[in-house]
Amino acid sequence: MIEINNLVKHYGDKRALKGISFTVNDDEVLGFLGPNGAGKTTTMNIITGFLSSTSGTVKVNGHDILEEPELAKKDIGYLPEQPPLYLDMTVKEYLSFICDLKGLKKEDRKAQLDAIISMVKIGDVTDRLIGNLSKGYKQRVGIAQALVGDPSILILDEPTVGLDPNQVMEIRKLIKTLSKTHSIIISSHILSEIQAIADRVVIINNGKVAAVDTITDLSKRLSGSSRLLLSFQGPLKDVSASIRSIPGVANVVTRNSSDKLHEVEIVISNTSADIRASIFFVMAKGGWPIFEFRSLDPTLEEVFLSITSGK
Amino acid sequence: MYAIFKREFLQYFRSPVGYVAIAIFSFLAGFIFYSQYASGAVSISSEVISLRSFFVVIVPIITMASFAEDKKRGTDVLYYTTPVDLFSVVAGKFLAALALFGIMFINVFAQMIVTVANGGIVDVGAWGSVIVFFFMAAMFISVGLMASALNDSQIVSAIVTFVIILIFQILSTISDYAKTAANAVLFSITQNNDLSVSTGEKIAGLINWFDPFARTADFRSGVFSVSALIFCLSVAIVFLYVTYRILEKKRWSQG
């Protein structure tokens, strides 16, 4: 369990954090969401003891990170945005160095390393130089490094940034597995990623906590998507006019238009009514074939707007 | 500390750094020894003393990466977020660099054996020079570690180390210049020859106080002065402590 109380961090004149407080419960995945520069990494660096806060406290399982750093750090595994890897060591050498660094006893070491290696699936690369691994594997080695010493809390800073979609799926799956036995704080600026993994979300913006919410509440708040995307063939003007005449439609904005295909964004004023059926029948009646029809995912900016305006 | 020592020491041999440093040292030691050997008069102590002039090249090569590379690659996170304490990180890197000098010195020990086997002598002055060599190496390595902790560019830290060691090595020349300059300036102002000469001497004495080479000059003739060794050790400890504070400060940085 981590208790974060009123963290403030100044960088010169800039106030990066302006009083952040939240709690991470045992065995929960806490999503840490915010646009770039909101203070996610700074907060994580303070929780792990890499940086010190200007004021405020962090307690890890009851131990203050500044007053009892060794006890607090024992319980934390940290994967920074740039994994702390030595590129000219093999995976095996690197992990055994981490064991040394975290002061693991010789007799526990082999069993624990074997368990970690099979969990993060790096068994086939243990003798290769880290510098020669793909980015996905490097990220796994980074996670393995965080797992050494069997900490109860994992802090992962943007673990899927820069990975290809396959690797992203695999890392997410791995985090899911880990979440059964660990408390995890995971930061991201991608909303859907947090929705897929986390139980609870802390949204920060501009150095302040904008919202703390469970995923279900958050999705409920966002479920009535207010925009639909429609691409079709047919006369653009007529189609727009017909859709506008459907009750509940506030506006139709052309996104893309070519000879063959038009793409419009339909803004809905009344989010409680589902007007997708009406749109379909309008299109069918006009004989205008639909090529794509979906609700637009809310962007992070919209989430912020919706959260801040809802209060 | 042992964890850091082991990694850093092996790191010298994962990268070309260790091999380059050993190659340069072996070449220089071999060259000096061979030219002595060919002339028929081998003196290990004067060989070791000549080798000291190459600290200015070898030490920056060894220490430039130690902290700068960590910062650049983001691996310094490990030192701050694992239960290891920062001073043992500094100590581990320091001992690793010193141990590399130990490896290089195998050359000189082999040469000692050759000397004795050919009927030469390895006198107490030679051992004195070896002891001084390692104390000075310790001193300059700590300078290099500090320079490396200051920034995240290997080149800049190598240059800073180079300049500091160079200043140490030419302190006697600097003190000569300072003496002459002080003397001339004071004499032109006061027209008092005694005052200007004595002030010049004082300034030169002050500068020479910092000169490790002058302090340890007697070792080659077998006069072991503990105060000179304590001087080298103190300088080393001061620089290591400053290095530790630089690393510690990073955590508290506000900028």
Side-chain angles (χ1 to χ4, degrees):
Chain A
M1 175 160 160
I2 305 181
E3 296 153 88
I4 292 152
N5 202 353
N6 207 12
L7 281 188
V8 175
K9 177 76 180 174
H10 295 241
Y11 287 121
D13 291 338
K14 192 177 171 269
R15 291 173 70 198
L17 302 182
K18 303 168 185 164
I20 290 211
S21 308
F22 60 89
T23 314
V24 189
N25 302 319
D26 289 334
D27 294 339
E28 110 175 316
V29 180
L30 183 86
F32 203 47
L33 197 64
N36 291 330
K40 295 185 302 261
T41 301
T42 305
T43 308
M44 292 184 139
N45 278 339
I46 292 173
I47 297 173
T48 54
F50 185 50
L51 286 178
S52 294
S53 54
T54 308
S55 68
T57 56
V58 175
K59 278 190 176 173
V60 180
N61 292 336
H63 306 295
D64 191 291
I65 188 78
L66 290 178
E67 278 157 26
E68 302 170 287
E70 298 202 359
L71 289 171
K73 285 173 187 173
K74 262 202 163 74
D75 288 338
I76 294 182
Y78 181 34
L79 174 68
E81 195 174 345
Q82 185 188 6
L85 303 173
Y86 290 103
L87 301 185
D88 38 19
M89 289 172 108
T90 67
V91 173
K92 209 188 245 165
E93 284 169 341
Y94 174 71
L95 289 179
S96 94
F97 167 63
I98 301 291
C99 289
D100 288 339
L101 215 53
K102 293 191 177 178
L104 240 67
K105 289 197 190 98
K106 274 254 152 61
E107 55 268 30
D108 307 342
R109 192 171 290 189
K110 190 166 182 331
Q112 196 180 108
L113 278 188
D114 286 348
I116 290 171
I117 285 170
S118 75
M119 186 186 278
V120 302
K121 299 203 183 87
I122 49 175
D124 44 343
V125 296
T126 49
D127 290 321
R128 284 178 59 187
L129 287 182
I130 294 177
N132 295 342
L133 298 179
S134 70
K135 199 151 190 226
Y137 266 112
K138 279 184 188 154
Q139 202 70 2
R140 281 157 187 273
V141 177
I143 293 176
Q145 163 272 128
L147 286 171
V148 169
D150 200 19
S152 59
I153 297 157
L154 289 179
I155 298 182
L156 312 173
D157 193 357
E158 310 230 352
T160 57
V161 155
L163 301 182
D164 71 34
N166 267 331
Q167 294 167 333
V168 169
M169 290 311 292
E170 283 172 9
I171 296 289
R172 279 187 199 166
K173 225 163 81 187
L174 175 60
I175 294 170
K176 275 264 184 211
T177 325
L178 291 172
S179 68
K180 286 172 195 148
T181 45
H182 296 79
S183 312
I184 297 179
I185 304 183
I186 175 171
S187 83
S188 181
H189 60 268
I190 306 162
L191 184 64
S192 62
E193 174 160 294
I194 295 291
Q195 264 171 328
I197 307 175
D199 305 318
R200 218 153 57 91
V201 187
V202 171
I203 297 181
I204 69 166
N205 189 25
N206 209 2
K208 283 189 193 142
V209 174
V212 181
D213 219 336
T214 60
I215 278 289
T216 36
D217 283 357
L218 190 71
S219 359
K220 211 182 282 170
R221 211 186 286 198
L222 301 168
S223 61
S225 171
S226 54
R227 291 177 310 145
L228 297 169
L229 179 112
L230 176 71
S231 59
F232 59 91
Q233 274 180 356
L236 182 59
K237 269 189 186 161
D238 294 354
V239 176
S240 300
S242 318
I243 293 175
R244 267 204 199 90
S245 65
I246 299 170
V249 172
N251 199 5
V252 176
V253 187
T254 311
R255 274 190 147 198
N256 248 325
S257 182
S258 66
D259 299 347
K260 285 182 182 164
L261 208 63
H262 306 290
E263 199 176 273
V264 294
E265 194 179 308
I266 303 165
V267 184
I268 302 159
S269 58
N270 180 5
T271 50
S272 58
D274 196 340
I275 58 161
R276 283 176 295 185
S278 326
I279 293 173
F280 169 77
F281 286 121
V282 165
M283 299 299 286
K285 200 172 145 198
W288 303 311
I290 294 175
F291 282 77
E292 193 183 357
F293 191 25
R294 63 181 162 93
S295 63
L296 286 169
D297 286 332
T299 62
L300 202 50
E301 287 71 31
E302 287 172 317
V303 176
F304 283 122
L305 280 179
S306 115
I307 283 167
T308 42
S309 65
K311 275 183 182 165
Chain B
M1 186 169 83
Y2 177 67
I4 304 280
F5 169 79
K6 191 172 107 185
R7 200 206 89 79
E8 291 297 323
F9 184 70
L10 293 176
Q11 182 64 29
Y12 287 128
F13 300 100
R14 287 192 197 99
S15 63
V17 169
Y19 298 103
V20 169
I22 290 174
I24 294 177
F25 187 89
S26 307
F27 172 75
L28 293 170
F31 184 77
I32 296 168
F33 181 77
Y34 183 73
S35 50
Q36 288 182 350
Y37 191 86
S39 71
V42 169
S43 161
I44 296 290
S45 64
S46 68
E47 180 199 339
V48 174
I49 284 167
S50 312
L51 283 172
R52 292 198 313 217
S53 0
F54 299 103
F55 277 136
V56 76
V57 180
I58 296 173
V59 172
I61 294 176
I62 293 178
T63 58
M64 64 182 183
S66 47
F67 287 105
E69 187 69 6
D70 272 332
K71 268 193 268 181
K72 202 167 153 198
R73 295 241 171 262
T75 40
D76 56 339
V77 173
L78 294 171
Y79 305 144
Y80 293 92
T81 60
T82 55
V84 67
D85 76 284
L86 281 176
F87 197 79
S88 61
V89 173
V90 177
K93 293 200 181 228
F94 170 74
L95 292 177
L98 203 57
L100 187 64
F101 266 105
I103 301 278
M104 293 178 194
F105 235 72
I106 290 174
N107 279 292
V108 176
F109 293 128
Q111 288 159 5
M112 285 179 172
I113 294 169
V114 172
T115 308
V116 174
N118 283 278
I121 34 167
V122 176
D123 58 358
V124 71
W127 290 109
S129 312
V130 172
I131 292 171
V132 168
F133 185 93
F134 275 95
F135 274 79
M136 278 194 191
M139 192 175 121
F140 291 138
I141 287 168
S142 58
V143 170
L145 288 181
M146 184 208 69
S148 187
L150 276 175
N151 60 79
D152 56 8
S153 154
Q154 293 196 33
I155 300 295
V156 174
S157 56
I159 293 171
V160 171
T161 314
F162 178 86
V163 168
I164 296 179
I165 296 178
L166 192 67
I167 289 173
F168 268 113
Q169 287 193 325
I170 59 172
L171 268 183
S172 62
T173 317
I174 293 177
S175 79
D176 280 348
Y177 280 125
K179 187 163 80 181
T180 322
N183 196 341
V185 169
L186 266 178
F187 186 76
S188 70
I189 297 170
T190 62
Q191 300 295 321
N192 181 341
N193 195 38
D194 289 348
L195 176 73
S196 54
V197 168
S198 72
T199 312
E201 291 289 342
K202 270 182 199 155
I203 290 173
L206 185 72
I207 296 173
N208 277 332
W209 192 87
F210 289 100
D211 185 355
F213 295 91
R215 277 173 174 272
T216 55
D218 290 342
F219 273 74
R220 70 177 306 178
S221 45
V223 182
F224 287 30
S225 116
V226 177
S227 74
L229 296 185
I230 290 177
F231 172 80
C232 291
L233 210 58
S234 309
V235 174
I237 289 170
V238 167
F239 276 104
L240 290 180
Y241 184 70
V242 172
T243 310
Y244 166 70
R245 296 302 297 181
I246 291 170
L247 296 180
E248 182 84 334
K249 180 180 161 281
K250 191 191 168 190
R251 186 179 288 176
W252 298 94
S253 83
Q254 307 276 320

